[in-house]
Amino acid sequence: MRRPTAAQLVARLRRIRVRPSALLAHGVAWGIGLAWLIPFLGLAMAAIRPIGEILFGWWDFQSFHPTLANFAIAWDHDSYPMSEGLRNSFLVAIPSTLIPILVGAMVGYGFARFRFPLRDYIFVSVVVLMAIPQQMVAVPLFRTMLAAGLVDTFQGLILVHSAWGIPWILLFMRNFFQTLPAEVEEAARVDGAGDFKIFVKIVMPMALPAFAAIAVLQFMWVWNDFFFAQILMYSQDQLLATQRVTRLAGQFYSPWDLMSAASIIVLIVPVALYAFLQRYYIRGMIGWTIKG
Amino acid sequence: MRANGGARRLHLSFPRPLVRAAFFIPAVLLLLFLVILPILQTIFLSFYSDGAFVGVDNYSDVVSDPATINLRGFPRGPPLGTLVHNLIWTAIHLPMSLFTGLFLAVLLQRVRGASIVKSMIFVGMVTPMILGGVILRFLFEAPIGLVPSAFGALGFESLNVNWIVHPSTLLFGLIFGSVWLWTGFSLILYSAGLTTIPKDYFEAARVDGASPWRIFRRITWPLLRPITLVVVTMTVLWELKLFDLVLGATNAGGGVGSAADVLALQMYRYGFVALPPRVHQAAAVATLLTGLTLAWTVMMFRHILLGARFSRGKRSGRLARRLAGRA
């Protein structure tokens, strides 16, 4: 397409009639959207300013000395360094994403393609587990982990997150596999391929977009989780990122400068993930709620 | 290796049912040991005390405890007990977040940059809820927080206080704050739902001279019913399971006078903070909470599955179907 000349642009602009109702809609929508961000703006302001400047409100700009010192202190904090927290959270969240995807895809395929007695009842029963609060398993889970020597280890927490992710991934993957045409698989079977080979060579590659959607959501849930980490991890150097922010506060004093900086350090990962992989995130979320 | 067909013969040596069972084994093991057995053990624990079967004693202990239900608190406000707090939370948070999200979704249909505005509102949904709680504390504390100062500037001196240290302002502040965090959920689902409604319906109604409100009442709202059911189901589950948000904003005690205490936090306190641990009461609270979430889920599932049949013939959907027939 050829670029329009300036005269054509002006003519086009003249033709646009601004209707008051449309203007109002834009104003209200954008106004609400921006207002929605104000608490985050406050957090950012508290994080980049010395505590003395924000004690009576971060919106007071009479003295304004932006600095990254709070981030530096939170990153290398004496007791609860956030750098260590991020590392731990990654070490837990990455396997806790990959394992349940693999396990959930296998079992989802099984429920989609194999026939066995009571299949649909079992399927619904497993999916209903999604409704169960984490507190329902907490005490026995802690005891089991203690007996297995897995309390305060990443492996223990990874296993718990992997198991806990299966119901929703099963739901998502079974629905996904049911939408795939079975003909390709049938053809491979006629050629003598076994179930496992068909799954690895044919089905898994087709499921990659579904895996991406699940990975974003599952990673974010594990990253954002607090309860399981809180009951299973307690050594100071093993604490995950989400466990550290509130620990920066003393009983009678909250260092809002450090807590804000630490919060932003933790927040940046899910927010960046959402910003860059929004398409997959939304698809995952709508997939497991609406289609389910 | 492959040339003489050895691999295939090796493969055939596994009988098919065994291969198929292998698809289920990892999931079964994980679910069995880390989800299903712990659930059964918790139920078991809730009926025992120090190794002796005590029937429903733990439940009656928990339910009769003012920490769970404190009806005498009603004239003067919170704390009203964890169970009551969860219910109040639901009663306020569900309609507020649902209708705010719906309103924004409808409004954003004809706004440029709608996806940016949606993302701005959705940030709350990707925020770890423990930090959501921390941010709410930062918002409601005085003099550092914005909310008390804003009310002060508007002349509401009674609200220009530290919301976190007064029971009523703490509970209702956190409830309103949680609407801020959760509205993105209904916004995104309703936005997705609105794209599935054919534009012809709206146009036909507009040609007929229907007002925007009438279009919303007779077309948008009935056709979004499946979305509404999902939003209601998931939102109530979220309200029942509240934990991190309250802990992040207050402490393991649910804040001043336990004014913002909720069931999940009560369980955590009994099982993991109390010395000595009150494991059996913790199990009873957990089972009670699970009973609520399961009953709600089963009820809504039935509603969602049977819903289509029931809504047929209802007045609200008639116009939409008439238009559908014309389009």
Side-chain angles (χ1 to χ4, degrees), chain B residues 35-60:
Chain B
V35 181
I36 294 164
L37 279 179
I39 290 173
L40 298 177
Q41 283 170 301
T42 297
I43 297 173
F44 191 78
L45 279 173
S46 73
F47 291 107
Y48 277 74
S49 185
D50 298 323
F53 183 77
V54 293
V56 294
D57 280 8
N58 293 318
Y59 290 92
S60 48

Side-chain angles (χ1 to χ4, degrees), chain A residues 41-59:
Chain A
L41 177 71
L43 195 73
M45 283 297 144
I48 60 162
R49 297 171 71 182
I51 183 87
E53 288 188 2
I54 55 157
L55 275 182
F56 294 95
W58 53 265
W59 53 91

Side-chain angles (χ1 to χ4, degrees), chain A residues 256, chain B residues 78 85-86 88-90 92-94 96-97 129-141 147 151 162-183 238-239 242-256 258-262 265:
Chain A
W256 280 112
Chain B
H85 291 159
N86 276 103
I88 293 178
W89 214 300
T90 306
I92 298 174
H93 177 269
L94 175 64
M96 279 185 78
S97 63
M129 274 306 132
I130 183 86
L131 295 186
V134 170
I135 296 172
L136 292 188
R137 176 143 62 101
F138 182 62
L139 213 54
F140 288 117
E141 257 187 21
V147 171
F151 276 110
N162 188 341
W163 285 40
I164 301 295
V165 300
H166 298 283
S168 299
T169 50
L170 173 63
L171 178 62
F172 292 106
L174 291 190
I175 294 176
F176 295 134
S178 65
V179 173
W180 167 67
L181 286 162
W182 182 256
T183 295
W238 188 80
E239 288 147 351
L242 274 168
F243 172 79
D244 329 25
L245 179 96
V246 179
L247 188 57
T250 61
N251 50 35
V256 52
S258 295
D261 203 6
V262 286
L265 191 61

